Amino acid sequence: MKTVSILNHKGGVGKTTFTGCVAQALALCGFRVLVIDNDSQHNLSAMFGCGVQSPNIRDVYRAGGSDALHTFLKTIRKTEINDLHIVTAPNVLSESDIRDPLQLKNCITSCRLDQHYDYILIDNAPGMDRLQAVSINASDKIFVPTELKQFAIDGIVEMEKILTYRFSACSGISKIIPNFYKNTKRQNTYIAALNKLFPGKVTKTVIPADPVFDELITEEKILFLHRLYSKGAAFYLKIMHELFNLNEDEVWEKMLEKRNRRLSEDARERFYKRRVQQAQK
Ligand SMILES: Nc1ncnc2c1ncn2[C@@H]1O[C@H](COP(=O)(O)OP(=O)(O)OP(=O)(O)O)[C@@H](O)[C@H]1O
Ligand SMILES: [Mg+2]
Protein backbone atom coordinates (compact mmCIF):
# COMPACT_ATOMS: atom_id res chain seq x y z
CA MET A 1 0.00 0.00 0.00
CA LYS A 2 1.17 3.51 -0.82
CA THR A 3 0.01 6.60 1.06
CA VAL A 4 0.33 9.88 -0.81
CA SER A 5 -0.18 13.45 0.37
CA ILE A 6 -1.37 15.88 -2.28
CA LEU A 7 0.12 19.12 -1.13
CA ASN A 8 0.84 22.70 -2.10
CA HIS A 9 0.69 25.65 0.23
CA LYS A 10 -0.68 27.68 -2.65
CA GLY A 11 -4.43 27.54 -3.17
CA GLY A 12 -6.37 26.81 -6.37
CA VAL A 13 -3.58 24.88 -8.11
CA GLY A 14 -5.63 21.72 -8.73
CA LYS A 15 -4.91 19.58 -5.63
CA THR A 16 -8.49 18.42 -5.19
CA THR A 17 -9.07 17.85 -8.91
CA PHE A 18 -5.85 15.83 -9.04
CA THR A 19 -6.75 13.73 -5.98
CA GLY A 20 -10.27 13.02 -7.20
CA CYS A 21 -9.32 12.21 -10.80
CA VAL A 22 -6.34 10.01 -9.95
CA ALA A 23 -8.40 8.17 -7.33
CA GLN A 24 -11.21 7.52 -9.82
CA ALA A 25 -8.76 6.30 -12.44
CA LEU A 26 -7.00 3.93 -10.02
CA ALA A 27 -10.29 2.54 -8.73
CA LEU A 28 -11.70 2.03 -12.21
CA CYS A 29 -8.55 0.10 -13.08
CA GLY A 30 -9.26 -2.29 -10.23
CA PHE A 31 -7.12 -0.89 -7.43
CA ARG A 32 -8.58 -0.45 -3.95
CA VAL A 33 -8.41 3.23 -3.09
CA LEU A 34 -9.16 5.34 -0.03
CA VAL A 35 -9.25 9.14 -0.32
CA ILE A 36 -9.06 11.32 2.76
CA ASP A 37 -10.41 14.87 2.64
CA ASN A 38 -8.18 16.95 4.92
CA ASP A 39 -9.66 20.34 4.06
CA SER A 40 -12.55 22.24 5.63
CA GLN A 41 -13.58 23.44 2.15
CA HIS A 42 -14.58 19.74 1.75
CA ASN A 43 -14.41 20.00 -2.06
CA LEU A 44 -13.22 16.41 -2.41
CA SER A 45 -16.15 15.14 -0.34
CA ALA A 46 -18.51 17.20 -2.55
CA MET A 47 -16.86 15.77 -5.68
CA PHE A 48 -17.98 12.31 -4.53
CA GLY A 49 -21.47 13.46 -3.62
CA CYS A 50 -20.87 13.57 0.16
CA GLY A 51 -22.07 16.55 2.15
CA VAL A 52 -20.89 17.20 5.69
CA GLN A 53 -21.15 13.88 7.51
CA SER A 54 -20.54 12.65 10.98
CA PRO A 55 -18.16 11.23 12.10
CA ASN A 56 -15.53 12.78 9.85
CA ILE A 57 -11.79 13.43 9.87
CA ARG A 58 -12.09 16.14 12.54
CA ASP A 59 -13.66 13.64 14.97
CA VAL A 60 -10.65 11.37 14.40
CA TYR A 61 -8.21 14.19 15.20
CA ARG A 62 -10.13 15.24 18.30
CA ALA A 63 -10.53 11.73 19.68
CA GLY A 64 -7.65 10.24 21.62
CA GLY A 65 -6.07 6.78 21.87
CA SER A 66 -8.20 3.78 20.95
CA ASP A 67 -11.27 6.02 20.52
CA ALA A 68 -9.54 7.56 17.50
CA LEU A 69 -9.15 4.12 15.87
CA HIS A 70 -12.79 3.31 16.47
CA THR A 71 -13.88 6.66 15.07
CA PHE A 72 -11.55 6.36 12.09
CA LEU A 73 -13.10 3.06 10.99
CA LYS A 74 -16.55 4.63 11.25
CA THR A 75 -15.56 7.58 9.02
CA ILE A 76 -14.77 5.37 6.00
CA ARG A 77 -17.64 5.50 3.52
CA LYS A 78 -18.39 4.03 0.12
CA THR A 79 -18.62 6.22 -2.97
CA GLU A 80 -20.59 5.42 -6.10
CA ILE A 81 -17.43 3.90 -7.60
CA ASN A 82 -16.62 0.35 -6.49
CA ASP A 83 -13.38 0.07 -4.54
CA LEU A 84 -13.18 3.82 -3.95
CA HIS A 85 -13.86 4.81 -0.36
CA ILE A 86 -13.70 8.20 1.31
CA VAL A 87 -13.11 9.81 4.68
CA THR A 88 -14.98 13.11 4.51
CA ALA A 89 -14.16 16.51 5.98
CA PRO A 90 -16.40 18.86 7.97
CA ASN A 91 -16.79 22.56 7.20
CA VAL A 92 -14.81 23.47 10.32
CA LEU A 93 -11.33 22.01 10.53
CA SER A 94 -8.20 23.76 11.70
CA GLU A 95 -4.77 23.01 13.08
CA SER A 96 -6.10 23.43 16.62
CA ASP A 97 -8.09 20.21 16.07
CA ILE A 98 -4.87 18.22 15.80
CA ARG A 99 -3.92 16.80 19.19
CA ASP A 100 -1.29 14.38 17.96
CA PRO A 101 0.53 15.00 14.64
CA LEU A 102 0.99 11.23 14.29
CA GLN A 103 -2.70 10.49 14.74
CA LEU A 104 -3.47 9.71 11.10
CA LYS A 105 -0.34 7.58 10.67
CA ASN A 106 -1.23 5.59 13.80
CA CYS A 107 -4.81 5.08 12.61
CA ILE A 108 -3.70 3.84 9.17
CA THR A 109 -1.16 1.46 10.72
CA SER A 110 -3.24 0.19 13.65
CA CYS A 111 -6.38 -0.34 11.54
CA ARG A 112 -4.23 -2.44 9.13
CA LEU A 113 -5.44 -0.48 6.12
CA ASP A 114 -2.60 -2.01 4.10
CA GLN A 115 -4.72 -5.19 3.99
CA HIS A 116 -7.70 -3.33 2.53
CA TYR A 117 -6.27 -0.69 0.18
CA ASP A 118 -3.63 -0.38 -2.53
CA TYR A 119 -3.54 3.40 -2.38
CA ILE A 120 -4.48 6.09 0.12
CA LEU A 121 -4.59 9.63 -1.30
CA ILE A 122 -4.88 12.58 1.10
CA ASP A 123 -6.16 15.89 -0.29
CA ASN A 124 -4.90 18.84 1.73
CA ALA A 125 -6.01 22.39 2.33
CA PRO A 126 -3.56 25.04 1.08
CA GLY A 127 -0.91 25.83 3.72
CA MET A 128 1.87 24.10 5.63
CA ASP A 129 0.78 23.94 9.26
CA ARG A 130 -0.23 21.16 11.68
CA LEU A 131 -3.11 20.13 9.46
CA GLN A 132 -0.76 19.33 6.60
CA ALA A 133 1.82 17.91 9.03
CA VAL A 134 -0.55 15.15 10.12
CA SER A 135 -0.92 14.17 6.45
CA ILE A 136 2.82 14.39 5.68
CA ASN A 137 3.62 12.21 8.71
CA ALA A 138 1.19 9.56 7.44
CA SER A 139 2.55 9.50 3.87
CA ASP A 140 5.28 7.71 1.92
CA LYS A 141 5.12 10.21 -0.92
CA ILE A 142 4.32 13.88 -1.53
CA PHE A 143 2.79 14.91 -4.85
CA VAL A 144 2.65 18.61 -5.65
CA PRO A 145 0.33 19.79 -8.43
CA THR A 146 1.23 23.33 -9.46
CA GLU A 147 0.29 26.13 -11.78
CA LEU A 148 3.08 27.50 -13.94
CA LYS A 149 3.76 30.93 -12.43
CA GLN A 150 6.76 32.49 -10.69
CA PHE A 151 5.10 32.71 -7.25
CA ALA A 152 4.04 29.08 -7.56
CA ILE A 153 7.64 28.01 -8.21
CA ASP A 154 8.92 30.15 -5.31
CA GLY A 155 6.30 28.47 -3.13
CA ILE A 156 7.50 24.97 -4.07
CA VAL A 157 11.09 25.89 -3.19
CA GLU A 158 9.83 27.06 0.23
CA MET A 159 7.83 23.87 0.69
CA GLU A 160 10.85 21.68 -0.02
CA LYS A 161 12.82 23.60 2.63
CA ILE A 162 10.04 23.19 5.19
CA LEU A 163 9.73 19.48 4.42
CA THR A 164 13.44 18.86 4.93
CA TYR A 165 13.94 20.83 8.14
CA ARG A 166 10.62 20.08 9.85
CA PHE A 167 10.06 16.45 8.86
CA SER A 168 13.11 14.30 9.43
CA ALA A 169 11.36 11.14 8.21
CA CYS A 170 10.18 12.79 4.98
CA SER A 171 12.44 12.68 1.93
CA GLY A 172 10.89 15.84 0.51
CA ILE A 173 8.73 16.33 -2.55
CA SER A 174 8.34 13.13 -4.58
CA LYS A 175 6.78 14.55 -7.74
CA ILE A 176 5.73 17.95 -9.08
CA ILE A 177 2.84 17.90 -11.54
CA PRO A 178 2.48 20.97 -13.79
CA ASN A 179 -1.21 21.82 -14.21
CA PHE A 180 -3.20 24.28 -16.38
CA TYR A 181 -0.67 23.78 -19.21
CA LYS A 182 -1.27 25.82 -22.37
CA ASN A 183 2.06 25.33 -24.12
CA THR A 184 3.06 29.00 -24.04
CA LYS A 185 6.69 30.14 -24.19
CA ARG A 186 6.47 31.51 -20.64
CA GLN A 187 5.01 28.28 -19.24
CA ASN A 188 7.72 26.25 -20.96
CA THR A 189 10.34 28.50 -19.33
CA TYR A 190 8.81 27.76 -15.92
CA ILE A 191 8.84 24.01 -16.61
CA ALA A 192 12.54 24.27 -17.53
CA ALA A 193 13.18 26.24 -14.30
CA LEU A 194 11.35 23.58 -12.24
CA ASN A 195 13.39 20.82 -13.89
CA LYS A 196 16.59 22.66 -13.02
CA LEU A 197 15.56 23.20 -9.41
CA PHE A 198 14.12 19.70 -8.92
CA PRO A 199 15.88 17.31 -11.33
CA GLY A 200 13.93 14.10 -11.90
CA LYS A 201 10.97 15.29 -9.84
CA VAL A 202 8.86 17.08 -12.46
CA THR A 203 6.50 14.74 -14.31
CA LYS A 204 7.02 14.46 -18.06
CA THR A 205 3.26 14.46 -18.46
CA VAL A 206 1.69 17.85 -17.83
CA ILE A 207 -2.04 18.38 -17.32
CA PRO A 208 -3.57 20.68 -19.92
CA ALA A 209 -5.97 23.47 -19.10
CA ASP A 210 -9.33 21.91 -19.97
CA PRO A 211 -12.81 23.33 -19.20
CA VAL A 212 -14.01 19.75 -18.65
CA PHE A 213 -12.93 19.97 -14.98
CA ASP A 214 -15.31 22.82 -14.23
CA GLU A 215 -18.10 21.12 -16.19
CA LEU A 216 -17.68 18.02 -14.02
CA ILE A 217 -18.29 20.07 -10.89
CA THR A 218 -21.33 21.93 -12.21
CA GLU A 219 -22.86 18.80 -13.74
CA GLU A 220 -21.84 16.50 -10.85
CA LYS A 221 -20.27 14.03 -13.26
CA ILE A 222 -17.35 11.63 -12.94
CA LEU A 223 -14.43 12.23 -15.33
CA PHE A 224 -13.69 8.61 -16.19
CA LEU A 225 -17.33 7.57 -16.50
CA HIS A 226 -18.87 10.47 -18.37
CA ARG A 227 -15.94 12.26 -20.06
CA LEU A 228 -13.55 9.39 -20.73
CA TYR A 229 -12.71 10.68 -24.19
CA SER A 230 -11.86 14.24 -23.05
CA LYS A 231 -8.36 15.70 -23.23
CA GLY A 232 -8.34 16.01 -19.43
CA ALA A 233 -9.09 12.28 -18.94
CA ALA A 234 -6.42 11.24 -21.45
CA PHE A 235 -3.75 13.23 -19.64
CA TYR A 236 -4.85 12.03 -16.20
CA LEU A 237 -4.55 8.43 -17.41
CA LYS A 238 -1.09 9.18 -18.69
CA ILE A 239 -0.01 10.82 -15.47
CA MET A 240 -1.39 7.98 -13.37
CA HIS A 241 0.70 5.59 -15.45
CA GLU A 242 3.80 7.74 -14.98
CA LEU A 243 3.34 8.30 -11.24
CA PHE A 244 2.55 4.72 -10.29
CA ASN A 245 4.52 2.85 -12.99
CA LEU A 246 1.50 1.12 -14.48
CA ASN A 247 1.16 -0.54 -17.86
CA GLU A 248 -0.73 1.90 -20.08
CA ASP A 249 -2.49 -0.63 -22.36
CA GLU A 250 -3.53 -2.88 -19.49
CA VAL A 251 -4.88 0.10 -17.60
CA TRP A 252 -6.92 1.31 -20.56
CA GLU A 253 -8.51 -2.11 -21.23
CA LYS A 254 -9.49 -2.57 -17.59
CA MET A 255 -10.89 0.91 -17.30
CA LEU A 256 -12.90 0.71 -20.51
CA GLU A 257 -14.43 -2.61 -19.47
CA LYS A 258 -15.38 -1.38 -15.99
CA ARG A 259 -16.69 1.93 -17.28
CA ASN A 260 -18.85 0.32 -19.98
CA ARG A 261 -20.22 -2.23 -17.52
CA ARG A 262 -21.05 0.54 -15.08
CA LEU A 263 -22.73 2.74 -17.73
CA SER A 264 -24.86 -0.15 -18.98
CA GLU A 265 -25.87 -0.98 -15.39
CA ASP A 266 -26.91 2.67 -14.95
CA ALA A 267 -28.89 2.56 -18.20
CA ARG A 268 -30.59 -0.68 -17.14
CA GLU A 269 -31.54 0.82 -13.79
CA ARG A 270 -33.01 3.91 -15.49
CA PHE A 271 -34.96 1.64 -17.86
CA TYR A 272 -36.47 -0.40 -15.00
CA LYS A 273 -37.30 2.76 -13.06
CA ARG A 274 -39.15 4.14 -16.10
CA ARG A 275 -41.06 0.88 -16.51
CA VAL A 276 -42.12 0.91 -12.86
CA GLN A 277 -43.25 4.53 -13.19
CA GLN A 278 -45.21 3.72 -16.37
CA ALA A 279 -46.84 0.71 -14.70
CA GLN A 280 -47.93 2.89 -11.78
CA LYS A 281 -49.66 5.42 -14.08
N1 LIG B 1 -6.24 21.32 -15.72
C1 LIG B 1 -7.23 22.16 -15.42
N2 LIG B 1 -7.82 22.90 -16.40
C2 LIG B 1 -8.84 23.73 -16.13
N3 LIG B 1 -9.37 23.91 -14.91
C3 LIG B 1 -8.81 23.18 -13.90
C4 LIG B 1 -7.74 22.27 -14.09
N4 LIG B 1 -7.42 21.72 -12.89
C5 LIG B 1 -8.27 22.25 -11.99
N5 LIG B 1 -9.09 23.13 -12.59
C6 LIG B 1 -10.12 23.98 -11.96
O1 LIG B 1 -9.44 24.91 -11.14
C7 LIG B 1 -10.19 25.16 -9.95
C8 LIG B 1 -9.31 24.89 -8.73
O2 LIG B 1 -9.01 23.51 -8.69
P1 LIG B 1 -8.95 22.71 -7.31
O3 LIG B 1 -10.13 23.01 -6.47
O4 LIG B 1 -8.68 21.30 -7.66
O5 LIG B 1 -7.66 23.39 -6.67
P2 LIG B 1 -7.13 23.21 -5.16
O6 LIG B 1 -5.65 23.35 -5.22
O7 LIG B 1 -7.68 21.99 -4.55
O8 LIG B 1 -7.78 24.49 -4.46
P3 LIG B 1 -7.74 24.79 -2.87
O9 LIG B 1 -6.33 25.20 -2.57
O10 LIG B 1 -8.73 25.89 -2.69
O11 LIG B 1 -8.12 23.53 -2.18
C9 LIG B 1 -11.43 24.30 -10.02
O12 LIG B 1 -12.49 25.07 -10.51
C10 LIG B 1 -11.05 23.21 -11.04
O13 LIG B 1 -12.19 22.74 -11.75
MG1 LIG C 1 -8.76 21.74 -2.77
Side-chain angles (χ1 to χ4, degrees):
M1 184 188 75
K2 282 197 173 66
T3 306
V4 183
S5 275
I6 320 303
L7 207 67
N8 193 325
H9 62 177
K10 215 168 176 315
V13 294
K15 297 180 289 296
T16 303
T17 308
F18 177 90
T19 312
C21 292
V22 170
Q24 287 171 24
L26 286 169
L28 283 165
C29 293
F31 293 104
R32 301 161 304 166
V33 185
L34 175 69
V35 289
I36 301 178
D37 192 347
N38 196 33
D39 182 355
S40 60
Q41 297 179 92
H42 58 88
N43 294 148
L44 187 72
S45 309
M47 197 169 174
F48 290 107
C50 306
V52 173
Q53 294 180 327
S54 184
N56 53 53
I57 193 70
R58 183 173 186 244
D59 301 308
V60 177
Y61 294 150
R62 291 171 69 88
S66 59
D67 274 356
L69 303 185
H70 235 76
T71 311
F72 184 61
L73 286 175
K74 281 199 224 156
T75 60
I76 299 177
R77 294 187 168 79
K78 286 183 175 174
T79 70
E80 57 170 311
I81 299 178
N82 272 347
D83 292 329
L84 175 47
H85 296 166
I86 185 166
V87 173
T88 62
N91 46 13
V92 186
L93 178 65
S94 72
E95 59 174 338
S96 61
D97 292 317
I98 313 286
R99 293 186 177 171
D100 173 4
L102 292 175
Q103 185 80 288
L104 193 53
K105 183 186 169 72
N106 292 341
C107 286
I108 290 171
T109 314
S110 306
C111 295
R112 300 302 318 264
L113 291 198
D114 57 336
Q115 293 184 352
H116 304 284
Y117 297 102
D118 302 305
Y119 294 100
I120 298 180
L121 305 180
I122 311 169
D123 180 34
N124 282 281
M128 273 306 261
D129 58 32
R130 271 170 78 84
L131 203 51
Q132 289 74 22
V134 82
S135 166
I136 295 164
N137 287 333
S139 300
D140 320 302
K141 286 184 184 297
I142 312 282
F143 288 172
V144 180
T146 182
E147 53 189 354
L148 291 162
K149 293 189 177 157
Q150 187 59 51
F151 282 160
I153 296 177
D154 296 346
I156 297 175
V157 173
E158 272 312 301
M159 271 179 69
E160 182 77 324
K161 279 189 204 151
I162 299 172
L163 286 172
T164 36
Y165 75 66
R166 254 183 51 197
F167 300 90
S168 50
C170 172
S171 52
I173 294 170
S174 315
K175 283 287 177 189
I176 299 167
I177 302 106
N179 192 19
F180 303 102
Y181 182 64
K182 289 182 182 154
N183 196 12
T184 62
K185 203 168 157 194
R186 189 174 284 270
Q187 282 194 332
N188 289 330
T189 316
Y190 289 136
I191 292 184
L194 274 173
N195 272 307
K196 209 164 168 194
L197 287 163
F198 301 97
K201 290 194 174 182
V202 185
T203 53
K204 288 189 183 69
T205 313
V206 292
I207 303 168
D210 186 343
V212 75
F213 297 109
D214 264 336
E215 278 166 37
L216 291 169
I217 297 169
T218 49
E219 294 170 25
E220 291 184 9
K221 296 226 155 109
I222 292 170
L223 180 66
F224 291 99
L225 285 179
H226 304 104
R227 296 283 190 275
L228 183 61
Y229 293 98
S230 65
K231 190 163 68 163
F235 279 82
Y236 261 110
L237 272 180
K238 223 169 140 68
I239 204 127
M240 178 187 72
H241 164 255
E242 184 179 339
L243 289 170
F244 299 109
N245 277 328
L246 306 176
N247 178 308
E248 224 163 330
D249 295 332
E250 217 175 281
V251 159
W252 174 252
E253 288 302 320
K254 268 192 200 157
M255 172 167 297
L256 204 59
E257 190 198 317
K258 264 200 155 184
R259 172 223 187 224
N260 290 346
R261 195 173 344 123
R262 166 63 197 272
L263 287 181
S264 62
E265 277 165 15
D266 284 358
R268 204 176 319 134
E269 212 168 290
R270 281 199 303 275
F271 171 73
Y272 281 124
K273 251 191 206 155
R274 256 204 323 269
R275 283 201 31 187
V276 170
Q277 279 166 357
Q278 277 166 359
Q280 283 169 346
K281 274 184 192 166

mmCIF file of all heavy atoms in Angstrom, residues 7 122 133 137 140 142 167 170 191 208-209 262:
data_model
loop_
_atom_site.group_PDB
_atom_site.id
_atom_site.type_symbol
_atom_site.label_atom_id
_atom_site.label_comp_id
_atom_site.label_asym_id
_atom_site.label_seq_id
_atom_site.Cartn_x
_atom_site.Cartn_y
_atom_site.Cartn_z
ATOM 1 N N LEU A 7 -0.232 17.963 -1.941
ATOM 2 C CA LEU A 7 0.125 19.118 -1.128
ATOM 3 C C LEU A 7 0.576 20.294 -1.979
ATOM 4 O O LEU A 7 1.229 20.115 -3.000
ATOM 5 C CB LEU A 7 1.297 18.669 -0.260
ATOM 6 C CG LEU A 7 1.549 19.317 1.070
ATOM 7 C CD1 LEU A 7 0.426 18.969 2.033
ATOM 8 C CD2 LEU A 7 2.883 18.801 1.644
ATOM 9 N N ILE A 122 -4.377 11.581 0.138
ATOM 10 C CA ILE A 122 -4.883 12.577 1.101
ATOM 11 C C ILE A 122 -4.871 13.961 0.447
ATOM 12 O O ILE A 122 -3.803 14.467 0.080
ATOM 13 C CB ILE A 122 -4.022 12.598 2.396
ATOM 14 C CG1 ILE A 122 -3.829 11.173 2.930
ATOM 15 C CG2 ILE A 122 -4.663 13.509 3.444
ATOM 16 C CD1 ILE A 122 -2.773 11.065 4.034
ATOM 17 N N ALA A 133 0.800 18.750 8.391
ATOM 18 C CA ALA A 133 1.824 17.912 9.027
ATOM 19 C C ALA A 133 1.278 16.512 9.326
ATOM 20 O O ALA A 133 1.975 15.506 9.133
ATOM 21 C CB ALA A 133 2.312 18.572 10.313
ATOM 22 N N ASN A 137 3.118 13.272 7.829
ATOM 23 C CA ASN A 137 3.620 12.209 8.710
ATOM 24 C C ASN A 137 3.041 10.837 8.359
ATOM 25 O O ASN A 137 3.652 9.809 8.650
ATOM 26 C CB ASN A 137 3.280 12.522 10.171
ATOM 27 C CG ASN A 137 4.143 13.644 10.724
ATOM 28 O OD1 ASN A 137 5.247 13.859 10.269
ATOM 29 N ND2 ASN A 137 3.614 14.381 11.699
ATOM 30 N N ASP A 140 3.984 8.156 2.454
ATOM 31 C CA ASP A 140 5.282 7.714 1.922
ATOM 32 C C ASP A 140 5.744 8.671 0.846
ATOM 33 O O ASP A 140 6.917 8.749 0.532
ATOM 34 C CB ASP A 140 5.166 6.338 1.223
ATOM 35 C CG ASP A 140 4.266 5.394 1.946
ATOM 36 O OD1 ASP A 140 4.554 5.142 3.106
ATOM 37 O OD2 ASP A 140 3.263 4.922 1.350
ATOM 38 N N ILE A 142 4.970 12.570 -1.452
ATOM 39 C CA ILE A 142 4.323 13.885 -1.526
ATOM 40 C C ILE A 142 4.220 14.281 -2.997
ATOM 41 O O ILE A 142 5.250 14.417 -3.668
ATOM 42 C CB ILE A 142 5.179 14.975 -0.802
ATOM 43 C CG1 ILE A 142 5.648 14.533 0.576
ATOM 44 C CG2 ILE A 142 4.451 16.316 -0.797
ATOM 45 C CD1 ILE A 142 4.637 14.593 1.659
ATOM 46 N N PHE A 167 10.498 17.851 8.863
ATOM 47 C CA PHE A 167 10.059 16.447 8.859
ATOM 48 C C PHE A 167 11.254 15.548 8.567
ATOM 49 O O PHE A 167 11.577 15.294 7.399
ATOM 50 C CB PHE A 167 8.968 16.232 7.810
ATOM 51 C CG PHE A 167 7.752 17.070 8.044
ATOM 52 C CD1 PHE A 167 7.659 18.343 7.486
ATOM 53 C CD2 PHE A 167 6.713 16.625 8.839
ATOM 54 C CE1 PHE A 167 6.549 19.137 7.714
ATOM 55 C CE2 PHE A 167 5.601 17.404 9.074
ATOM 56 C CZ PHE A 167 5.518 18.673 8.509
ATOM 57 N N CYS A 170 10.719 12.559 6.331
ATOM 58 C CA CYS A 170 10.183 12.792 4.976
ATOM 59 C C CYS A 170 11.337 13.096 4.024
ATOM 60 O O CYS A 170 12.225 13.889 4.346
ATOM 61 C CB CYS A 170 9.212 13.963 5.025
ATOM 62 S SG CYS A 170 8.642 14.502 3.410
ATOM 63 N N ILE A 191 8.608 25.466 -16.723
ATOM 64 C CA ILE A 191 8.840 24.007 -16.613
ATOM 65 C C ILE A 191 10.351 23.738 -16.614
ATOM 66 O O ILE A 191 10.854 22.939 -15.810
ATOM 67 C CB ILE A 191 8.138 23.237 -17.748
ATOM 68 C CG1 ILE A 191 6.621 23.320 -17.563
ATOM 69 C CG2 ILE A 191 8.588 21.772 -17.791
ATOM 70 C CD1 ILE A 191 5.803 22.530 -18.541
ATOM 71 N N PRO A 208 -3.170 19.493 -19.179
ATOM 72 C CA PRO A 208 -3.568 20.680 -19.919
ATOM 73 C C PRO A 208 -4.709 21.429 -19.245
ATOM 74 O O PRO A 208 -5.472 20.827 -18.476
ATOM 75 C CB PRO A 208 -4.043 20.108 -21.261
ATOM 76 C CG PRO A 208 -4.477 18.734 -20.947
ATOM 77 C CD PRO A 208 -3.639 18.244 -19.805
ATOM 78 N N ALA A 209 -4.795 22.713 -19.533
ATOM 79 C CA ALA A 209 -5.975 23.465 -19.099
ATOM 80 C C ALA A 209 -7.145 22.941 -19.919
ATOM 81 O O ALA A 209 -7.059 22.866 -21.141
ATOM 82 C CB ALA A 209 -5.751 24.948 -19.360
ATOM 83 N N ARG A 262 -20.376 -0.364 -16.012
ATOM 84 C CA ARG A 262 -21.048 0.544 -15.082
ATOM 85 C C ARG A 262 -22.114 1.397 -15.800
ATOM 86 O O ARG A 262 -23.234 1.551 -15.330
ATOM 87 C CB ARG A 262 -19.998 1.436 -14.427
ATOM 88 C CG ARG A 262 -20.495 2.637 -13.683
ATOM 89 C CD ARG A 262 -21.371 2.250 -12.496
ATOM 90 N NE ARG A 262 -22.116 3.422 -12.103
ATOM 91 C CZ ARG A 262 -21.670 4.316 -11.246
ATOM 92 N NH1 ARG A 262 -20.527 4.143 -10.643
ATOM 93 N NH2 ARG A 262 -22.397 5.363 -10.958
#
